[in-house]
Amino acid sequence: MFFQLKEKSVKPLDTYDKISRLVKAILHFECPDHRGQHHILYTANMQLEAYREAKDFYRSHDDPSSALGCLSREAYEQANKKYNQLYTIIRGYMHLSEDNKRDHFNHHFRFSNEKIDKMYSLFEQKQHHDHLKLEELFYERLKEDVAPLLTQFE
């Protein structure tokens, strides 16, 4: 008895698959305390709420006349930026979860195809980032590149 394996035709990844994987990777990086029993959106929304609380807290302590007040201003701006980026990533994830709109998304990203290919190529080769301790910086920059592409859905 010999078993024959069916040859799987390796279908190249389209733009929808690439951007979906990038968004999922960003969410998993953004939520390091994610547990398997929760959906990633639950954990991401918990993180979003933490950013909102930090934003509100530091906003109330903004005082340009003191050094700590200036630090509070910088912390507020950072929390606001992280909140807005994560919100955009979550919304993009929700839109990209509709697999039946694959053709629509591929058409939508046609002008950004080369940019997405480059981002995905760097993402696939991320073992090089580990050697240089660039993982956190890599994901921050990836969010900055992916977020504008996802804002076009709204």
Side-chain angles (χ1 to χ4, degrees):
M1 271 195 272
F2 292 102
F3 295 102
Q4 293 182 349
L5 296 175
K6 290 184 180 179
E7 291 184 27
K8 294 181 181 178
S9 60
V10 179
K11 186 173 76 171
L13 295 176
D14 60 354
T15 306
Y16 171 84
D17 289 328
K18 291 176 185 176
I19 196 76
S20 292
R21 288 183 184 180
L22 290 174
V23 167
K24 288 175 189 173
I26 291 171
L27 279 178
H28 282 283
F29 180 79
E30 192 69 29
C31 304
D33 56 340
H34 174 65
R35 291 198 164 66
Q37 69 260 30
H38 298 298
H39 194 279
I40 187 65
L41 288 179
Y42 173 79
T43 310
N45 280 316
M46 296 293 284
Q47 185 70 28
L48 193 67
E49 183 64 19
Y51 286 146
R52 189 195 59 76
E53 289 174 0
K55 190 172 72 164
D56 292 344
F57 174 78
Y58 286 114
R59 180 68 175 151
S60 65
H61 290 84
D62 183 10
D63 180 16
S65 66
S66 70
L68 285 177
C70 291
L71 176 66
S72 293
R73 174 64 166 204
E74 293 170 9
Y76 165 77
E77 289 171 356
Q78 183 179 6
N80 191 34
K81 178 182 175 185
K82 287 185 173 281
Y83 177 88
N84 290 331
Q85 283 180 336
L86 184 58
Y87 179 80
T88 303
I89 298 296
I90 290 171
R91 296 293 298 167
Y93 177 83
M94 291 169 55
H95 284 291
L96 291 167
S97 294
E98 300 178 37
D99 192 41
N100 58 348
K101 292 187 176 181
R102 176 182 296 269
D103 293 334
H104 169 73
F105 291 126
N106 282 329
H107 179 73
H108 180 77
F109 290 123
R110 73 186 179 279
F111 295 118
S112 306
N113 201 10
E114 288 180 25
K115 184 176 183 178
I116 293 169
D117 287 342
K118 287 180 185 179
M119 286 188 289
Y120 190 75
S121 174
L122 282 171
F123 172 72
E124 283 184 319
Q125 303 301 321
K126 67 183 176 192
Q127 73 271 11
H128 298 294
H129 309 306
D130 296 339
H131 299 300
L132 300 174
K133 309 288 188 238
L134 294 175
E135 184 179 27
E136 186 173 335
L137 187 58
F138 171 76
Y139 279 103
E140 287 298 320
R141 300 293 165 83
L142 184 62
K143 279 192 296 187
E144 289 176 14
D145 284 343
V146 169
L149 297 174
L150 300 177
T151 58
Q152 301 169 12
F153 292 147
E154 300 297 322

